[in-house]
Amino acid sequence: APPGRPAVVSPSTTIAARINGELRDLACPLADGDIVEAVAIGSANGRAIMRHSAAHVMAQAVQHLFPEAKLGIGPPIENGFYYDFDVNRPFTPDDLAAIERQMRQIIKEGQLFSRRVVSDTEARKELAGEPYKLELIGLKGRAQKDGAAGADGVPEEAFVEVDAAGGELTIYDNLDAATRDLRWKDLCRGPHLPTTRHIPALKVMRSGGAYWRGSEKNPQLQRIYGTAWESRDALAEHLRLLAEAERRDHRRLGAELDLFSFPPEIGGGLPVFHPRGGVVRKVMEDYSRQRHAEAGYEFVNTPHIAKSTLFEVSGHLGWYADAMYPPMEMEGAKYYPKPMNCPFHILVYRSRGRSYRELPLRLFEFGTVYRFEKSGVLHGLTRVRGLTQDDAHIFCTWAEMPAELTSLLQFVVDLLRDFGLTEFEAELATRPDKFVGKVEQWDEAEAALQQALDASGLPYVVAEGEGAFYAPKIDVHVRDAIGRRWQLSTLQVDLQLPPRFELEYQAADGSRPTPCMIHRALFGSVERFFGILLEHYAGALPPWLSPVQVTGIPIADSHVPYLAGVVAALRERGIRAEVDDGDDRMQKKIRNAQRQKVPFMLLAGDADVAAGAVSFRYRDGTQRNGVPVSEAVEEIVQAVESRIQV
């Protein structure tokens, strides 16, 4: 486009442009030499722009229906958007339906999104009735003065409103398509769609409370969530996946399958595992222990509490005190429930002198830790206050560190594959601006982590500057059966704790260098991994993990002793089997076993007893009749030992 002309690109799917690497509205003027790339509505950036624009449409609709509503912020989020409002009462389902109808009317009108630059004074004058917008303008000014984009605890989402690190302050007007009269406006840095008509498909989802700027000290606003997609088909597929996710919700499955519960007498975020859930946990942990033993790990066990001095040395009281449970005072000392296992494993290492001949030293524990998460973020097993980490800490020389990381990452991926997870992605988080340790050590650790990723063959991205201040790390993500992404395993090279605890080992030359320390959590936590597996398999765990692997179903009471003998033969082979000898009719017993997602049902009647056989019924409803008992036993044992899914 010639200089000064809008950066309009022809394809109908293009809704914005990247000009010299920066996202801009299609109406942005161009200068000589500008490099312009089209942004399609179905791309990640295009969807974010569309959803941000949909958030503006939502806010306009709310203020049309509820003129007293004051505006908070309205960012795009994964798979949707939200907007916060200060209103006199919570929104009702009827309100949400009316808001969606009004949004569709605004979209139909094809209002124009028009950007204009304003001064702070102009913005304050125009938005005088919007106290939260005025606060954002003030925060922008203070952030510019202090040189801090995240000043005053402003959530990152707020920066869709203002560029707190500097730059222009802008307002987006929604203009009537025919007359260009102002219909609505909002403080925003953009970019936005050309018109509201460019939102092809949307839906208002739900509402709930949210504290302004994420702080309980601030007013509670009403947050409305919505979703928007590049086509009606894409929206329909998203809604289908949401329904499928609800069907797979591990909290519902946990109750239906009698696996775990959260008794209010214990407190939120502290699950209790029932016998069947306990079986699944034991199988998970036993198999993990077996694999760790084969890989040369040594098992340790550490207490649940420790004196405050341990967490002072480790730095947890300085960095994580807000997330720790309060202390207990006994005999003049303060004891804290442990938030992490690493300081305890360090004490095991430091309990005596170490030689280079002992390294690498791989310490492993299923260690339960306690973190006081806010009640608003607790979510079943995937966000709890008491969690059991499969924690390993590897102490090695710096020369051993690259090979150790490579084998560690392969071990992680192989074990996760054994649990039926097959789609992996990784992220390498590198040195942030503020860090501890030597730059040379950071460079060495990052190079070793990247070498491990390259050797693994996993797809990965480098998150520049996203490492913790004390360590670069690899995060391993998995995708479940319906495509959702979960962060699971972490490998981290710690540059902080070994010197804080003055760790050392005797080298071959007699010197006493500081060892390298690698943190490694494979499941992340047993509880969270349990929940992820339940949702991945929709409760139908593979036979080797199922709490009950076989249910014997007699056609009549007279067949119970025969099936009891079959079950006894299965139990001798290590199979978890039982006979349903209750009063229900056979058809009801089959339905009960199907609801409990038992992998195998063995039915027996007079003909089966006479033939020394069973009718073999699978979880999917298929059935084979007249299967000899010995053959049925071998098939079940083989399915369990091979860890296949049926």
Side-chain angles (χ1 to χ4, degrees), residues 127 133 136-137 161-162 169-171 185-189:
L127 301 169
K133 300 296 183 182
L136 289 177
I137 295 169
E161 308 290 333
V162 296
L169 192 63
T170 55
I171 285 177
K185 62 186 173 185
D186 196 4
L187 179 72
C188 187
R189 72 179 186 184

Side-chain angles (χ1 to χ4, degrees), residues 186-197:
D186 196 4
L187 179 72
C188 187
R189 72 179 186 184
H192 280 286
L193 299 171
T195 76
T196 59
R197 196 181 289 275

Side-chain angles (χ1 to χ4, degrees), residues 293-316:
E294 293 167 354
Y297 286 79
E298 300 185 58
F299 299 95
V300 298
N301 191 272
T302 61
H304 292 237
I305 64 173
K307 289 182 178 180
S308 60
T309 49
L310 176 62
F311 303 119
E312 289 166 2
V313 175
S314 70
H316 288 97

Side-chain angles (χ1 to χ4, degrees), residues 479-500:
R479 291 197 181 273
D480 67 10
I482 58 173
R484 294 172 301 181
R485 191 169 183 257
W486 301 88
Q487 193 271 314
L488 279 182
S489 309
T490 297
L491 282 71
Q492 195 169 46
V493 180
D494 194 313
L495 304 176
Q496 171 75 8
L497 287 179
R500 287 184 75 94

